Amino acid sequence: MAVDIAGRIAAIKKEKNALLFAHTYTRPEVQDSADLVGDSFELARRAAEEKASIIVLAGVRFMGETAAILAPDKKVLLPVYEAGCPLADMIAPSDILRLRKEHPSAAVVCYVNSSVEVKAISDVCVTSSSAVRIVRNLPEEEIIFVPDRNLGSWVSEQIPEKRFVFHRGFCPVHQQVTPEQVRAAKERFPDAVVLMHPECTPETRREADYILSTGGMAALVKEKKHRCYLVVTEQGIIHTLRRHDPGAEFFELTAPTLYCQNMKKITLESIAQALSEEEPTVAVPDQIAAKARRALERMLELNR
Ligand code: SF4
C-alpha cells in the first residue's frame, strides 16, 4: 500500500515539476519519499533556491509559511494545514511590542518556530543551527530572544559577552525531559554518546555530550566518529540518522517518548492528496510577507 502511494507521489511530482521537502521529525515513509530531508534552516534555504514549480512541505505550518515567503515564485503546499507548532503559538506580536518598549536598544531575534506576524516585527530570524552564529554577528549588545527560552538560554551560554532577555515559550516535546530520565537511559546504554537538542531545559542539557540542532546531529553522525548514540530529540530523526550511518546503533528515550503529534499528522496519503488537488496552498498576505521576508533574508545573510 505504502509503495503504491509512494509511486503515485513520485509520478505526480514528475508530472507537475514538484519537489517534496520533509522535516527530520516526520514519519519514516514520508522521509523516504522526499527529495530533501532536513532541518528548518536547510528546508528554508533550499525552498528559495530550487527551480521547481511546486514545493510540498511535509512539516508544520510555520515551515510552509517560511517556504512560501522565501519562494514567492512557487506554489507551496502544506499537506495538513492544521498541523501547527505549540511553541510558535506561545508568543503574540503584542509580547514583542512590550519587550521592545522595555528594551529599546535591543535586537529582536526570533526563532523560526513563530508566526509570520511575529517574524514581521522581528529584526532577524534564526534556526537552532544558525542561532549562535547570527546572534554573534549582530551589532547589538542586548538581545530579546523569542519565543523559546531554552534555545535562548543555550545561545546566551555561548555568547556571554551579550545581554539576553527571554520570552517564556518552550517546546512541549523537549521541555518534558528531565535530567533523571536521561541519566537512567545513560545507565541502560553506557556506550552511547548523548546527542541532545538545545530546546531541552538547561538542567537536562548538562547530561549531554553534544548539544546540537537536528542538522548538527546529522552532520556529526555522517562523520562516523562514534558507533553508539542516545538521541534526545523527536524520535523521527532516528530514521534520518540511520540512513547516514547504517552501521551505528541509535537509542531513544522511552520514558518519555519524544513524539511530536503535529509532525506525525503528515502522512503519505495527505501528501498524495495535496499534490493531486494542489491544495492546501500556503498564502501569506503580501504586506506581511514582505516584512517577514526581511527577517528571514537577514537570517540567510548573517549565517554566511
Ligand atoms: S517538536 Fe516542538 S518545536 Fe518542533 S514542531 Fe513539534 S512542538 Fe513545535
Side-chain angles (χ1 to χ4, degrees):
M1 184 68 167
V3 173
D4 289 345
I5 298 177
R8 228 174 91 215
I9 289 172
I12 313 177
K13 278 197 303 181
K14 198 167 172 201
E15 178 200 322
K16 298 193 175 186
N17 186 26
L19 289 174
L20 173 60
F21 286 6
H23 192 269
T24 45
Y25 293 166
T26 52
R27 295 168 181 274
E29 64 274 19
V30 169
Q31 297 187 30
D32 289 344
S33 282
D35 300 288
L36 171 69
V37 178
D39 63 1
S40 316
F41 185 78
E42 184 69 354
L43 300 181
R45 191 177 63 78
R46 291 280 293 277
E49 287 174 4
E50 291 292 344
K51 296 238 175 323
S53 314
I54 296 176
I55 290 184
V56 186
L57 210 304
V60 293
R61 194 162 51 246
F62 76 81
M63 296 178 177
E65 290 171 346
T66 303
I69 291 166
L70 286 174
D73 54 325
K74 296 165 191 119
K75 186 182 269 192
V76 176
L77 303 174
L78 201 55
V80 183
Y81 208 84
E82 58 276 17
C85 167
L87 166 60
D89 294 338
M90 286 182 193
I91 187 161
S94 56
D95 293 311
I96 299 201
L97 298 178
R98 177 182 48 80
L99 286 164
R100 273 202 192 277
K101 225 180 209 170
E102 290 167 9
H103 305 273
S105 57
V108 175
V109 176
C110 132
Y111 193 21
V112 73
N113 301 36
S114 54
S115 67
V116 276
E117 290 79 10
V118 164
K119 289 183 177 76
I121 54 170
S122 296
D123 295 307
V124 63
C125 278
V126 294
T127 59
S128 48
S129 63
S130 62
V132 172
R133 187 176 302 137
I134 289 172
V135 172
R136 211 170 253 142
N137 283 340
L138 286 172
E140 288 86 351
E141 283 173 10
E142 192 176 17
I143 305 294
I144 297 169
F145 194 100
V146 300
D148 189 328
R149 64 182 184 221
N150 292 324
L151 177 65
S153 74
W154 178 70
V155 173
S156 74
E157 287 162 16
Q158 322 302 307
I159 314 175
E161 64 276 19
K162 298 207 180 201
R163 298 189 306 282
F164 285 78
V165 177
F166 305 118
H167 182 65
R168 59 184 177 280
F170 57 87
C171 161
V173 176
H174 292 90
Q175 173 77 16
Q176 64 183 320
V177 187
T178 65
E180 292 74 27
Q181 290 160 346
V182 179
R183 280 200 288 273
K186 281 160 77 166
E187 274 173 29
R188 281 180 65 208
F189 311 115
D191 297 334
V193 290
V194 180
L195 310 186
M196 191 178 291
H197 197 278
E199 285 171 18
C200 291
T201 65
E203 302 73 44
T204 302
R205 289 199 304 261
R206 285 194 204 111
E207 299 299 326
D209 294 304
Y210 293 92
I211 298 164
L212 294 166
S213 67
T214 55
M217 290 181 193
L220 178 74
V221 167
K222 274 184 199 166
E223 287 177 25
K224 302 191 176 171
K225 265 200 325 221
H226 305 287
R227 303 318 303 144
C228 187
Y229 301 89
L230 173 64
V231 182
V232 187
T233 188
E234 211 280 351
Q235 45 99 276
I237 198 174
I238 293 197
H239 185 69
T240 323
L241 299 179
R242 276 205 183 107
R243 288 187 350 174
H244 293 318
D245 188 357
E249 277 190 292
F250 297 92
F251 299 103
E252 61 184 288
L253 289 190
T254 47
T257 304
L258 302 192
Y259 184 90
C260 177
Q261 294 179 358
N262 286 290
M263 287 286 188
K264 299 303 196 265
K265 285 180 183 163
I266 300 115
T267 58
L268 285 182
E269 289 81 359
S270 63
I271 291 168
Q273 188 172 346
L275 268 168
S276 63
E277 293 174 5
E278 297 191 25
E279 289 284 350
T281 50
V282 183
V284 182
D286 286 349
Q287 217 183 355
I288 195 127
K291 289 184 184 161
R293 189 175 299 121
R294 278 206 300 263
L296 285 164
E297 286 180 346
R298 202 157 174 230
M299 166 178 88
L300 300 177
E301 279 160 29
L302 286 173
N303 193 47
R304 286 194 184 118

